[in-house]
């Protein structure tokens, strides 16, 4: 982002963003680490809360982004060349060799578990409680600020693997049911929470399955989102 922003002469004319911090409960690490983005030439960044924004503002008192970017502007030709080579790499689609057959069974299951847990963890907040953006515990119980982008990434990942035969429907259903128990446990004591298991029949559950099994036919999810809004 910074290289491209400098190459496009955004310095002094527009904001150059770099990085996001999705863990609202780990402000100490954010304060330690996020200042590096300013030192790299970024003038703006994403943070998950007003508290995080206030703390991140301290970094701008410690580092003069104007001076950092001024030094980069003096090397505009070098940075433009670097940005061009980086952009070419970003535009290369990362394909798995042999349709995913190079992955081990453990690696496939680990990714499937992670995506199913992330999908269900967000769906129970979105569909079950009407919350569009909130802290959601990940597979390792780290609270992360999530929105529908996470839901779409997780469901489309599984839908893509189904289409290419990396996983099958039976494996996906077994995984989603197993991860439902994990999500239920993570939400114990949450006011208004409706468990997914053992009935597997609530609107949250059906929304998750539709996002997976209709992911190829409805890639942008609009029809599913409309159905959810009418539930």
């Amino acid at each position: 982002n910074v290289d491209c922003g400098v190459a496009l002469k955004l310095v002094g004319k527009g904001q150059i963003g770099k990085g996001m911090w999705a863990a609202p409960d780990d402000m100490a690490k954010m304060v330690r680490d996020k200042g590096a983005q300013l030192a790299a030439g970024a003038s703006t960044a994403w943070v998950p809360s007003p508290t995080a924004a206030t703390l991140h503002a301290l970094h701008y008192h410690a580092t003069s982004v104007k001076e950092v970017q001024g030094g980069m502007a003096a090397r505009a030709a070098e940075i433009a060349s670097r940005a061009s080579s980086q952009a070419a790499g970003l535009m290369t689609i990362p394909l798995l060799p042999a349709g995913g057959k190079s992955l081990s069974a453990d690696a496939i299951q680990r990714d499937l578990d992670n995506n199913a847990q992330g999908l269900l963890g967000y769906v129970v907040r979105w569909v079950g409680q009407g919350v569009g953006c909130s802290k959601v515990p990940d597979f390792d119980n780290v609270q992360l600020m999530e929105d529908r982008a996470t839901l779409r990434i997780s469901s489309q990942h599984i839908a893509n693997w189904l289409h290419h035969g990396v996983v099958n429907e039976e494996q996906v259903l077994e995984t989603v049911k197993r991860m439902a128990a994990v999500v239920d446990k993570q939400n114990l004591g949450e006011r208004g929470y409706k468990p997914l298991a053992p009935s597997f029949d609530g609107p949250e559950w059906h929304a998750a399955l539709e996002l997976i099994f209709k992911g190829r036919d409805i890639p942008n999810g609009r029809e599913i989102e409309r159905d959810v809004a009418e539930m």
Side-chain angles (χ1 to χ4, degrees), residues 132-145:
C133 182
S134 66
K135 288 197 300 183
V136 176
D138 69 3
F139 192 70
D140 297 312
N141 289 308
V142 176
Q143 296 280 353
L144 299 177
M145 188 62 68

Side-chain angles (χ1 to χ4, degrees), residues 123 126-127 202-212 224 228 231:
V123 163
W126 173 41
V127 179
E204 303 92 336
W205 177 257
H206 290 294
L209 293 189
E210 284 197 36
L211 284 159
I212 293 171
I224 296 171
V228 167
M231 287 179 178

Side-chain angles (χ1 to χ4, degrees), residues 27-187:
M27 292 293 95
K29 192 171 190 304
M30 187 201 76
V31 171
R32 289 196 303 270
D33 295 353
K34 205 164 177 61
Q37 295 171 355
L38 281 69
S43 57
T44 187
W46 187 96
V47 292
S49 68
T51 298
T54 301
L55 292 171
H56 183 43
L58 298 174
H59 293 129
Y60 292 88
H61 291 282
T63 300
S64 170
V65 178
K66 183 177 180 180
E67 290 182 6
V68 174
Q69 290 183 344
M72 297 180 75
R75 298 182 288 113
E78 170 198 339
I79 290 173
S81 174
R82 187 171 67 199
S84 178
S85 63
Q86 290 172 337
L90 288 173
M91 296 304 291
T92 302
I93 299 174
L95 299 175
L96 284 172
K101 293 182 176 61
S102 59
L103 294 174
S104 69
D106 285 345
I108 290 171
Q109 190 60 59
R110 187 166 55 249
D111 265 13
L112 195 54
D113 286 355
N114 186 59
N115 281 305
Q117 185 276 336
L119 168 61
L120 292 173
Y122 182 79
V123 163
V124 297
R125 299 286 173 86
W126 173 41
V127 179
Q129 300 176 338
V131 179
C133 182
S134 66
K135 288 197 300 183
V136 176
D138 69 3
F139 192 70
D140 297 312
N141 289 308
V142 176
Q143 296 280 353
L144 299 177
M145 188 62 68
E146 303 289 12
D147 56 24
R148 270 189 283 177
T150 301
L151 167 115
R152 297 296 297 142
I153 292 168
S154 295
S155 60
Q156 284 300 121
H157 190 167
I158 300 173
N160 186 49
W161 274 10
L162 275 168
H163 174 59
H164 290 285
V166 179
V167 294
N168 58 53
E169 184 172 332
E170 182 181 1
Q171 182 181 10
V172 170
L173 280 171
E174 184 279 328
T175 300
V176 176
K177 285 185 176 181
R178 185 161 41 80
M179 289 301 107
V182 173
V183 171
D184 284 347
K185 184 177 180 180
Q186 289 175 324
N187 284 276

